[in-house]
Amino acid sequence: MRDFFILWMERIINVVIVIGAIAVVISGFVAMFSAQGGFLQGLIVWVIGAFYLVLMGGMIYLGLGIYNNTRRTAEAIEQLNARS
């Protein structure tokens, strides 16, 4: 059951990151072509939005990677103990 939740959490995170990327692109265009915006503001939205997505997505995937590595290490140690 635990693996089910981890697998679905990874899938949900993937979807959220893609939706976030689409939102950053759209909001950059909105900032570029709004009456009070400008081209530079749209570029700033893209740069900061991309930086935020990479930073937050990387942190989340780092946490999942640590979980997966810990699980594999525990399994490997159990196999070594079973051989001895």
Side-chain angles (χ1 to χ4, degrees), residues 28-47:
F29 279 123
V30 168
M32 281 183 191
F33 297 114
S34 68
Q36 295 174 345
F39 185 74
L40 184 60
Q41 288 178 347
L43 289 178
I44 291 171
V45 168
W46 283 344
V47 169

Side-chain angles (χ1 to χ4, degrees), residues 5-32:
F5 287 116
I6 296 296
L7 177 68
W8 277 98
M9 186 174 80
E10 289 177 359
R11 289 180 181 174
I12 290 170
I13 291 169
N14 289 337
V15 170
V16 168
I17 295 294
V18 169
I19 290 172
I22 292 169
V24 166
V25 169
I26 291 172
S27 61
F29 279 123
V30 168
M32 281 183 191

Side-chain angles (χ1 to χ4, degrees), residues 19-79:
I19 290 172
I22 292 169
V24 166
V25 169
I26 291 172
S27 61
F29 279 123
V30 168
M32 281 183 191
F33 297 114
S34 68
Q36 295 174 345
F39 185 74
L40 184 60
Q41 288 178 347
L43 289 178
I44 291 171
V45 168
W46 283 344
V47 169
I48 292 175
F51 179 72
Y52 177 79
L53 278 175
V54 168
L55 188 66
M56 290 299 120
M59 293 282 209
I60 293 169
Y61 285 121
L62 179 66
L64 289 174
I66 290 171
Y67 166 78
N68 287 328
N69 286 339
T70 303
R71 182 181 47 81
R72 286 194 318 232
T73 302
E75 290 172 355
I77 289 174
E78 287 174 0
Q79 289 177 357

